[in-house]
Amino acid sequence: MARRKTVTHFVAVSDINQPADEQEGILIEVEGKEGDTPQNRTKALEILQQM
């Protein structure tokens, strides 16, 4: 049986000081195990900085 890739999602919000219904953001997908880990957060931040 083939192994499925695990994906963790992070959301980058443009301005957290705005009310929730006025915030804009992007969804970042990081491939990797374990979910929300410091390593996956670092990967997400790197993706965001490249954008």
Side-chain angles (χ1 to χ4, degrees):
M1 178 183 273
R3 295 178 70 174
R4 294 181 358 183
K5 292 181 182 177
T6 303
V7 177
T8 303
H9 295 94
F10 294 93
V11 176
V13 178
S14 60
D15 187 356
I16 199 163
N17 294 319
Q18 294 292 326
D21 61 343
E22 295 180 17
Q23 292 178 358
E24 294 181 6
I26 59 170
L27 181 65
I28 300 172
E29 293 185 351
V30 176
E31 288 187 23
K33 296 181 181 179
E34 307 296 325
D36 184 10
T37 64
Q39 181 179 6
N40 285 344
R41 287 179 182 216
T42 300
K43 288 179 186 178
L45 185 57
E46 289 171 358
I47 292 169
L48 181 62
Q49 289 174 340
Q50 290 175 0
M51 296 176 134

